[in-house]
């Protein structure tokens, strides 16, 4: 898969580790985040990954900040984005199966690298279940139109 990754200063090390992990699994990673630990503003990177996903430049996105929350809130402001913050792999599987999340997010100050890898494996290995879940996703996107 082609995957965009984005991060702020709080997540430089974990981003690099996840980028290498994804590449080791055969994915192509587009790095839209920072590589400096100097303080920066996470909305820029959440938006960049969100726009890449919605434009179809990549298949999905990965966002990492301190908690995963701020950067995912920013991404969710881009129309068509469904970014979900996860701290463990069960939620990561379910956000794909039920919510068809097109971005997975987590916090570098919350999860360690082994949990982060398990989150990525669970998310990327899951399939959207469709049916009633699609109806609810359609309802979410109707909110964007109101
Ligand atoms: C940066 O200090 C921190 O606020 C950011 O990484 C993130 O946790 C925000 O949600």
């Amino acid at each position: 898969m082609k995957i965009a990754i984005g991060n702020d200063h709080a997540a430089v090390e974990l981003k690099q580790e996840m980028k290498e992990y994804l590449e080791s699994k055969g994915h192509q990673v587009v790095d839209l985040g920072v590589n400096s630990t100097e303080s920066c503003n996470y909305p820029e990177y959440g938006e960049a990954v969100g726009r890449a996903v919605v434009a179809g430049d990549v298949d999905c996105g990965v966002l990492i900040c301190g908690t995963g929350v701020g950067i995912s809130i920013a991404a969710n402001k881009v129309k068509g984005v469904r970014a979900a913050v996860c701290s463990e792999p069960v939620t990561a599987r379910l956000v794909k199966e039920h919510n068809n999340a097109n971005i997975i997010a987590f916090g570098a100050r919350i999860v360690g690298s082994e949990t982060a890898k398990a989150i990525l494996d669970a998310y990327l290995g899951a399939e959207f279940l469709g049916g009633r879940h699609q109806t609810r996703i359609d309802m979410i996107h109707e909110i964007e139109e109101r």
Side-chain angles (χ1 to χ4, degrees):
M1 291 178 92
K2 191 171 177 183
I3 302 171
I5 197 163
N7 64 288
D8 72 357
H9 57 279
V12 172
E13 199 177 317
L14 190 61
K15 185 277 297 282
Q16 190 57 34
E17 208 174 326
M18 293 307 104
K19 188 176 164 183
E20 287 167 16
Y21 180 66
L22 290 169
E23 286 170 345
S24 79
K25 298 272 179 184
H27 298 292
Q28 184 186 347
V29 180
V30 180
D31 188 352
L32 300 176
V34 295
N35 289 303
S36 162
T37 53
E38 201 173 311
S39 183
C40 66
N41 300 314
Y42 57 77
E44 284 181 45
Y45 311 102
E47 181 181 4
V49 169
R51 293 209 182 280
V53 168
V54 169
D57 297 339
V58 293
D59 298 303
C60 63
V62 176
L63 288 172
I64 323 173
C65 64
T67 58
V69 174
I71 203 163
S72 60
I73 290 174
N76 275 317
K77 297 298 178 188
V78 177
K79 194 173 170 181
V81 166
R82 294 178 303 281
V85 187
C86 299
S87 300
E88 38 69 34
V90 175
T91 307
R93 171 175 59 81
L94 287 168
V95 300
K96 181 66 181 177
E97 288 182 351
H98 289 201
N99 314 113
N100 203 13
N102 47 17
I103 296 180
I104 190 96
F106 43 86
R109 294 173 180 158
I110 307 298
V111 301
S113 66
E114 291 309 310
T115 300
K117 288 176 191 171
I119 287 169
L120 289 178
D121 288 344
Y123 172 71
L124 294 170
E127 295 284 342
F128 177 50
L129 296 177
R132 67 185 187 280
H133 303 296
Q134 184 60 56
T135 303
R136 293 160 187 165
I137 288 169
D138 291 343
M139 290 173 73
I140 289 171
H141 288 296
E142 282 166 22
I143 297 170
E144 289 177 329
E145 305 300 331
R146 293 202 283 273

